[in-house]
Amino acid sequence: MLKNTKVVGIAAAVTLLTGVALAPSATAVGQDRPYQSDVSNDGGRTYFSIYDIRTGCKATTTLNGKTSVDRATHVVGDSRKTYGEIVDAWVTTPKMAGEYTIKSRINNDCADDAGYSNAPTMSDTVEVGTQVELDSDGNWDELGGGNVRIYGDVELMGGAISQDLGAIKVLFQVRGKTVASTYTDADGYISATVASKYLNKRGNTKVTLSLATNRNYWMDDSETVQR
C-alpha cells in the first residue's frame, strides 16, 4: 500500500543552502533555481519532476540507494530555448515500508547550476506503506527494581478504524540501542519490559518504538518514561 505525497518546492529559498557553492543567481534560468516537485508513488515506481533547470542539463535523483539520471528537455513556449524541465521521471520505490527522502542534484556538466542541491527545494519525503502508532501516550507502568512495562494497542495512524494488522514485531530502543522487542497479538496489543539499566535514574528517558523490517507497515513513535 502506497501513500502519495506532492510538494511544490520554493525556488526562492536560496538562503537555506547546505554547503553547496553556487554561481550568482543571474546565471540561473530566469534567476530562478531548480526545484523538485510532483513526487508520487505508483506501484514500484516513485515519480518526480524538476523545474527551472536549463535545457540539456542533467540531474541525478536518489531514493534509498536507487538513482535515476535524467536530462532536461526544452519547455515549449520559451523562445530563448533556455528553460528546461524533467517531467514524470521515476526511480524505483523501496520494497520495505518506511519514510524515505528523495533527493535531486544537478550534475556537474551543467555549466550554470552544477552541483546544485538546495535541501528545501530539491528533496521530499516519500512514505511507503501505512504508518501505525501506539494508541496513546503515557502507556507505561513502574515495575519492581526500577523496570518499566510499556503497553498498548498498535493501530493505524490517526486512530482510524481498527483492523487486523497481523503479527508485527515491535522494537523498543533507547539512545539507538534495542532494549526490548515483542509481537502484536491477535488484537494488535503489545506489552514489553524495559530493564532499569537502560533508563535514567533521574530525569526522563525517551523510548522509541519502531517496527522490524515490514513490507506493509512502519512506525515512528515513542514513550517518555519519567523519573
Side-chain angles (χ1 to χ4, degrees):
M1 184 183 299
L2 297 173
K3 180 178 180 180
N4 291 342
T5 60
K6 181 176 181 180
V7 173
V8 176
I10 305 175
V14 296
T15 59
L16 300 176
L17 304 181
T18 57
V20 177
L22 298 179
S25 60
T27 65
V29 179
Q31 298 188 4
D32 291 329
R33 288 295 181 185
Y35 66 96
Q36 176 185 278
S37 186
D38 304 334
V39 176
S40 64
N41 290 319
D42 182 8
R45 296 180 175 183
T46 295
Y47 291 90
F48 63 92
S49 298
I50 300 174
Y51 300 101
D52 289 346
I53 174 175
R54 283 184 179 271
T55 301
C57 285
K58 290 187 289 185
T60 298
T61 300
T62 304
L63 174 60
N64 194 41
K66 302 294 184 180
T67 62
S68 177
V69 179
D70 305 278
R71 185 184 298 273
T73 57
H74 171 240
V75 176
V76 177
D78 174 37
S79 59
R80 295 164 296 171
K81 306 296 183 182
T82 54
Y83 272 97
E85 60 186 7
I86 297 171
V87 179
D88 291 336
W90 62 272
V91 63
T92 302
T93 300
K95 293 182 179 180
M96 297 300 170
E99 186 175 64
Y100 302 87
T101 299
I102 181 172
K103 297 180 180 180
S104 294
R105 177 184 177 89
I106 307 305
N107 288 11
N108 289 332
D109 59 356
C110 181
D112 295 287
D113 293 310
Y116 185 78
S117 57
N118 185 303
T121 62
M122 294 289 277
S123 66
D124 195 10
T125 297
V126 175
E127 295 183 3
V128 180
T130 302
Q131 186 175 6
V132 297
E133 62 181 349
L134 208 57
D135 56 347
S136 64
D137 295 328
N139 290 1
W140 62 276
D141 291 329
E142 290 274 7
L143 301 176
N147 304 328
V148 300
R149 179 178 71 99
I150 297 178
Y151 61 91
D153 293 311
V154 175
E155 61 185 21
L156 299 183
M157 189 72 176
I161 298 175
S162 177
Q163 70 179 62
D164 183 10
L165 305 180
I168 299 177
K169 186 177 183 179
V170 181
L171 307 177
F172 301 76
Q173 297 179 317
V174 175
R175 293 180 285 274
K177 178 182 177 62
T178 300
V179 298
S181 65
T182 189
Y183 285 88
T184 55
D185 66 12
D187 298 316
Y189 182 80
I190 60 170
S191 177
T193 298
V194 178
S196 61
K197 63 181 180 181
Y198 300 117
L199 305 172
N200 298 326
K201 293 182 179 179
R202 294 184 179 180
N204 299 339
T205 304
K206 180 181 179 180
V207 181
T208 300
L209 281 68
S210 62
L211 303 185
T213 302
N214 193 293
R215 289 180 176 269
N216 301 310
Y217 304 103
W218 61 280
M219 187 179 200
D220 182 14
D221 206 348
S222 65
E223 282 290 326
T224 300
V225 177
Q226 302 174 348
R227 296 297 195 190

